[in-house]
Amino acid sequence: MKNLRVCRDCHLAMKLISKSENREIILRDAIRFHHFRDGSCFCADYS
């Protein structure tokens, strides 16, 4: 079985990109959806 979780580095990168580009990014892993907006994630950084 593959590890389909979002790693911490990718999670941090998506937070920074969402803040710098002023966009909402939705990313899905095996367990949950991650909604990045204004440099934060709605999963409360549980990656």
Side-chain angles (χ1 to χ4, degrees), residues 19-43:
K19 185 170 186 146
S20 68
E21 297 295 322
N22 198 21
R23 298 189 73 169
E24 180 178 4
I25 300 171
I26 300 172
L27 183 70
R28 183 182 184 274
D29 66 9
I31 297 174
R32 67 183 53 81
F33 282 92
H34 298 268
H35 296 264
F36 299 95
R37 185 184 299 152
D38 297 325
S40 62
C41 182
F42 291 104
C43 76

Side-chain angles (χ1 to χ4, degrees), residues 2-15:
K2 291 183 179 180
N3 183 6
L4 298 175
R5 300 287 306 269
V6 177
C7 71
R8 287 188 174 118
D9 292 336
C10 295
H11 198 265
L12 178 61
M14 289 297 116
K15 285 171 46 176

